[in-house]
Amino acid sequence: MKINYPDGRIFNSPSKPSRPTSSSTKKKLIFGDRGMTLEEEINESNKYYRSHEIAVIYKKPTPIQIVKVDYPKRSRAVIKEAYFRNASTTDYNGVYNGHYVDFEAKETKNKNTFPLKNFHQHQVDHLKMCQKQGGICFVIIKYVTLKRYFVTPADVIFDHWEIQKHKGAKSIQLKDIVQNSIEIKANYDPTLPYIDAVQQLIESGKEK
């Protein structure tokens, strides 16, 4: 299915890593290395948090305007062309322990840097507005090659975003991510225990 942005540019969906084949099932299972995308890992974690009444967080739906549909069979319709109605904000939002939570999920195959081109101005603006209203805002970053995960406070992104706007570095060094983020480890239940990091962000905010 072809999906276009509001300005007519074609949206190219990133390919998903293949899941392990049956021949690899005999290998010892390592959580966080199961061919899952970051989005899948977060979605599984959110199911766990909801089922255990810990937090209610969902992936935001993206509004799409359908413009072309084919009907190869009477009982089946196939969308052939569609457009994003407007620019998306962030990936996830919800409530945890009385706090509004809003965050973006980003992956990178880089080993030493995190490119700021992964963000758009409207996403940064959205996070700033949510944080100004008292929301807990952050980014979950997955270094795919390193198999490391970080919950990075939105303020860190804001600072580097402003620097690159004034001809500064176009990426954040891994050492800066490590120093200013909360690293989390892939687990079983939940798959990605990011709420533990959210609690730390809340507690650190109370100490200020």
Side-chain angles (χ1 to χ4, degrees):
M1 177 181 72
K2 184 173 73 172
I3 302 179
N4 297 329
Y5 287 101
D7 61 4
R9 290 181 296 114
I10 298 175
F11 169 71
N12 294 313
S13 177
S15 58
K16 293 184 178 181
S18 58
R19 290 183 178 274
T21 60
S22 58
S23 61
S24 65
T25 55
K26 295 181 180 180
K27 185 179 178 181
K28 183 179 179 181
L29 179 64
I30 301 176
F31 299 111
D33 186 21
R34 295 175 289 173
M36 298 175 69
T37 65
L38 177 58
E39 179 179 311
E40 290 172 328
E41 291 170 316
I42 294 174
N43 290 344
E44 278 200 2
S45 302
N46 287 342
K47 289 180 183 178
Y48 173 87
Y49 288 135
R50 292 195 299 270
S51 66
H52 288 74
E53 299 183 347
I54 296 172
V56 180
I57 299 173
Y58 287 93
K59 180 171 174 57
K60 299 178 186 176
T62 302
I64 292 177
Q65 177 67 50
I66 298 172
V67 296
K68 184 178 180 181
V69 181
D70 284 352
Y71 296 89
K73 295 181 180 180
R74 289 186 178 182
S75 60
R76 180 179 299 176
V78 179
I79 299 173
K80 291 295 186 179
E81 186 174 353
Y83 291 86
F84 289 119
R85 288 181 178 175
N86 45 48
S88 61
T89 53
T90 47
D91 292 325
Y92 295 89
N93 70 337
V95 180
Y96 162 65
N97 198 24
H99 296 272
Y100 174 74
V101 175
D102 199 298
F103 65 95
E104 181 74 5
K106 299 291 187 184
E107 293 182 321
T108 180
K109 292 183 179 179
N110 292 6
K111 293 182 179 180
N112 299 312
T113 60
F114 176 73
L116 288 168
K117 67 180 181 181
N118 286 326
F119 287 97
H120 300 286
Q121 184 66 56
H122 64 268
Q123 293 176 320
V124 174
D125 292 341
H126 173 79
L127 287 171
K128 284 183 177 179
M129 288 189 292
C130 290
Q131 185 163 287
K132 189 174 182 179
Q133 296 298 321
I136 308 301
C137 302
F138 54 93
V139 180
I140 296 181
I141 299 175
K142 177 181 181 179
Y143 282 83
V144 177
T145 305
L146 302 177
K147 300 174 186 176
R148 298 180 73 178
Y149 304 79
F150 298 91
V151 173
T152 304
D155 282 334
V156 176
I157 304 301
F158 300 158
D159 291 343
H160 286 274
W161 187 259
E162 289 303 316
I163 291 172
Q164 65 94 23
K165 284 175 62 178
H166 295 87
K167 298 184 178 181
K170 303 296 183 181
S171 61
I172 308 176
Q173 295 295 315
L174 174 61
K175 61 182 180 63
D176 292 327
I177 294 291
V178 173
Q179 182 178 352
N180 297 289
S181 306
I182 301 170
E183 185 167 5
I184 55 178
K185 303 290 185 181
N187 205 339
Y188 177 64
D189 273 334
T191 307
L192 205 59
Y194 71 90
I195 286 295
D196 294 344
V198 173
Q199 181 62 39
Q200 290 184 51
L201 293 178
I202 293 171
E203 292 174 356
S204 64
K206 290 179 179 178
E207 294 173 359
K208 294 180 180 179

